[in-house]
Amino acid sequence: MTSTKASDDILFEEMIARAVLCFYLVAVTCATGIATYILLNDYESKLTFANYESKVDAYGTQTLNNLYRNVLTSKLMMESVSYSCPYANIWPNCSALSIEHYSNFSDVLIDISKKESITINPIITNNQIGGFESFAYDFYEEQGYGIDGPHYTLGQPTGLGKGIFARNSNGLYRSIDFYPDGENEILAPVFLASNLENNRRAVMFNVYSETIRVKAVDDMLRCVQESGSYVDCAAITGIINLVQNADGTEDPAGLSFLPITPFYNRSTVVAIVVAVFNWGRILSDDDATLSSVVVVLTYTDVIYTYSIKAGETTLLGSGDLHDDEFESYRRVFSVDSFPATIDSYTIEVYPASDYTDGGDTNAPLYGTILSVAVIVFTSAFVFLYDRVIDKISRERRIVLQTKRMFVRYISHEIRTPLNTVNLGLSLLKREIKQLGKSLSGDVMKKIDDKHFHRNLGEDDSPEKIEKIDDDNNNNNNNSDSDTLVSINNWVELI
């Protein structure tokens, strides 16, 4: 009964141990799965962010290079014009330029710099206005671009008649007065323009007539005056909405300004190279490395947001329209290609909500499933091994218990009669010992008398009788001793 209870206690303890082990394995499996998913997901996020940073940095470098190429090509135009009209005294009426050659050269520069147009704008003072207007119309007439020429450009395109014109909130107007808020008393009309077919209405337009343009020109001229050199005095306007599409819609644009100084009079600014560029083209992802990002363009308090997907650039609208969820992914680039401009542009790049870039994968999930599967498989193997060992142990316990029960049963059934036999033999031993002691006297005496009379004859003499009696005594003594020894030995055997 006690053995059965002990066996049941052992089985119960084994069940408790297995239950604890199962709970432990389940907890470890869950903890490992969760930890694996978190770690892999965090690693994938870091890898994605590092890849995102790398691609955005490359994109930012590309965008700044686009602006740098804009300045560089303007410098090429500036040097070309400086060599064509190398003396300050022939400006603004420089007739050494050719409309045809200028158009061909400017087309090449536009193709490599993402400009929309590039113009040459002489700087006109008050006493030069009339002479320059006449010179400009004669110049175009002589090269076939006048009113009657095959490439009609000038004449009455604005409805204002011949002359320099400008634009304000009320529309176009004849520009013969200096801009009141400007630092310089000058005019800067368009003299030569690229792609005349589309830009002919811009010829004779005074760029020194609107605050945003005037500020950039003043920054440029101030830079030349303060530094004493035309080098690194490029300036840029703030964001201007200009008509640049066939359907007449306006896009955010910028104008860059670079001073022209004659080759032999480098300290005198006689004209300006004005380049117009569309910010959408400047911000485009030429290599299509970004799957989907949002670009925020900022100049002081003017902000526009663009979407770039697989190389396609789309204007989303004015204002900062990026998703605040991706604020931590913000990458900022400052435009420093125009050192003469006090205020600068900033370009901010954020991932869009559908940005993937190969980083949003199921790798963390697959890794978690694999780690959990390994633990489950190992646990199943351990449990299977435990069941096999437990089965063998149970069988051995059953055999051992059967042996013990058999021995206990046999011991009980055999020990009782053996004890009885042992007790009987002990009693018999004691009685035989007592009997042996009594036989040593009476029985041996009778045996001796019998031998004495058997050896005594009728004719024996007294001497013979005495000798026989002595022999019998000796024999009796020896026989008595031998008999006692035999009885004692037999008793000991019992």
Side-chain angles (χ1 to χ4, degrees):
M1 184 69 178
T2 303
S3 177
T4 303
K5 185 177 184 303
S7 179
D8 291 341
D9 291 341
I10 292 174
L11 291 176
F12 178 73
E13 291 175 357
E14 289 180 352
M15 291 177 61
I16 294 298
R18 287 194 179 93
V20 172
L21 179 60
C22 288
F23 176 79
Y24 173 77
L25 289 175
V26 170
V28 169
T29 301
C30 293
T32 302
I34 294 173
T36 301
Y37 183 82
I38 292 175
L39 290 175
L40 288 178
N41 192 59
D42 181 65
Y43 175 76
E44 185 180 65
S45 298
K46 290 180 179 179
L47 185 63
T48 301
F49 182 67
N51 191 31
Y52 164 80
E53 280 189 322
S54 176
K55 290 187 175 182
V56 170
D57 288 345
Y59 164 77
T61 302
Q62 171 190 289
T63 301
L64 296 179
N65 285 338
N66 290 339
L67 291 169
Y68 178 73
R69 283 197 299 269
N70 185 291
V71 175
L72 182 61
T73 52
S74 293
K75 285 184 177 181
L76 292 175
M77 178 62 75
M78 174 195 71
E79 293 296 341
S80 175
V81 174
S82 296
Y83 283 108
S84 299
C85 301
Y87 297 100
N89 59 359
I90 64 175
W91 284 88
N93 304 331
C94 179
S95 59
L97 303 175
S98 166
I99 295 177
E100 195 70 33
H101 291 165
Y102 178 83
S103 296
N104 293 336
F105 185 43
S106 63
D107 288 343
V108 174
L109 297 181
I110 288 173
D111 288 339
I112 65 176
S113 63
K114 293 191 174 183
K115 289 181 173 69
E116 299 301 315
S117 65
I118 182 170
T119 65
I120 303 298
N121 299 48
I123 293 179
I124 310 298
T125 59
N126 188 40
N127 60 349
Q128 295 174 326
I129 295 176
F132 174 75
E133 288 179 338
S134 299
F135 164 75
Y137 279 88
D138 293 339
F139 179 83
Y140 272 85
E141 288 284 354
E142 291 173 0
Q143 300 192 41
Y145 289 85
I147 297 175
D148 300 324
H151 309 290
Y152 168 69
T153 299
L154 302 179
Q156 306 293 329
T158 63
L160 300 174
K162 294 181 179 181
I164 300 171
F165 68 96
R167 181 177 62 180
N168 57 21
S169 58
N170 296 323
L172 300 175
Y173 66 96
R174 287 281 284 126
S175 178
I176 57 175
D177 297 324
F178 303 123
Y179 192 74
D181 296 330
E183 297 178 5
N184 301 277
E185 295 183 350
I186 59 173
L187 301 178
V190 175
F191 175 53
L192 293 175
S194 61
N195 191 8
L196 279 175
E197 184 177 350
N198 294 328
N199 296 324
R200 66 185 183 88
R201 292 182 178 274
V203 176
M204 302 300 286
F205 173 75
N206 178 25
V207 298
Y208 197 78
S209 60
E210 291 180 316
T211 302
I212 194 168
R213 293 179 173 90
V214 169
K215 181 181 181 302
V217 173
D218 287 342
D219 289 342
M220 179 199 69
L221 295 175
R222 190 186 315 109
C223 174
V224 174
Q225 182 179 3
E226 292 175 355
S227 65
S229 172
Y230 66 96
V231 180
D232 296 330
C233 280
I236 188 174
T237 66
I239 300 174
I240 303 174
N241 289 317
L242 296 178
V243 176
Q244 302 175 71
N245 303 313
D247 58 359
T249 57
E250 295 181 341
D251 282 338
L255 277 68
S256 65
F257 299 90
L258 203 67
I260 297 176
T261 58
F263 182 74
Y264 295 113
N265 301 97
R266 287 301 192 182
S267 61
T268 304
V269 180
V270 296
I272 307 170
V273 178
V274 182
V276 180
F277 57 87
N278 185 317
W279 274 110
R281 291 188 63 194
I282 295 295
L283 297 174
S284 63
D285 181 19
D286 296 335
D287 299 329
T289 58
L290 299 173
S291 63
S292 182
V293 297
V294 173
V295 178
V296 179
L297 177 67
T298 304
Y299 182 84
T300 60
D301 58 346
V302 181
I303 304 174
Y304 282 90
T305 303
Y306 291 83
S307 170
I308 299 178
K309 284 188 179 182
E312 296 292 329
T313 305
T314 305
L315 176 63
L316 297 180
S318 61
D320 188 346
L321 305 179
H322 84 276
D323 192 340
D324 292 338
E325 179 184 353
F326 302 102
E327 188 66 31
S328 60
Y329 290 87
R330 177 176 178 260
R331 303 291 292 172
V332 182
F333 305 94
S334 296
V335 177
D336 55 2
S337 302
F338 306 92
T341 302
I342 298 176
D343 298 323
S344 63
Y345 281 87
T346 57
I347 299 172
E348 302 174 21
V349 183
Y350 303 88
S353 57
D354 55 348
Y355 179 85
T356 57
D357 202 26
D360 187 13
T361 67
N362 292 322
L365 178 61
Y366 294 152
T368 301
I369 293 175
L370 180 61
S371 63
V372 171
V374 169
I375 296 176
V376 171
F377 175 79
T378 304
S379 302
F381 178 79
V382 171
F383 272 108
L384 180 62
Y385 177 79
D386 178 70
R387 295 302 299 171
V388 172
I389 297 300
D390 182 65
K391 182 179 179 182
I392 295 174
S393 177
R394 286 177 181 274
E395 291 176 353
R396 288 180 178 177
R397 282 202 300 269
I398 291 173
V399 171
L400 182 61
Q401 187 175 5
T402 302
K403 287 181 180 180
R404 288 176 178 173
M405 291 178 64
F406 175 77
V407 171
R408 186 167 60 247
Y409 176 77
I410 294 300
S411 175
H412 175 73
E413 296 298 329
I414 294 178
R415 186 170 54 194
T416 300
L418 287 179
N419 287 337
T420 303
V421 171
N422 184 48
L423 180 61
L425 289 175
S426 298
L427 294 174
L428 179 61
K429 178 179 178 181
R430 188 166 54 194
E431 290 180 1
I432 289 175
K433 283 184 176 182
Q434 293 176 356
L435 178 61
K437 290 180 180 180
S438 62
L439 285 178
S440 64
D442 297 337
V443 175
M444 291 298 110
K445 188 175 184 301
K446 292 179 180 181
I447 294 174
D448 291 339
D449 290 343
K450 183 179 178 179
H451 282 282
F452 175 77
H453 289 291
R454 186 178 57 188
N455 295 324
L456 185 62
E458 292 179 357
D459 296 327
D460 290 335
S461 61
E463 292 80 3
K464 183 179 181 181
I465 293 172
E466 183 178 357
K467 184 179 182 300
I468 292 171
D469 186 52
D470 292 336
D471 292 337
N472 286 334
N473 287 333
N474 292 331
N475 290 333
N476 288 336
N477 290 333
N478 293 333
S479 177
D480 184 45
S481 299
D482 293 338
T483 301
L484 289 175
V485 170
S486 299
I487 291 172
N488 288 331
N489 289 337
W490 187 83
V491 170
E492 291 296 332
L493 290 175
I494 295 174

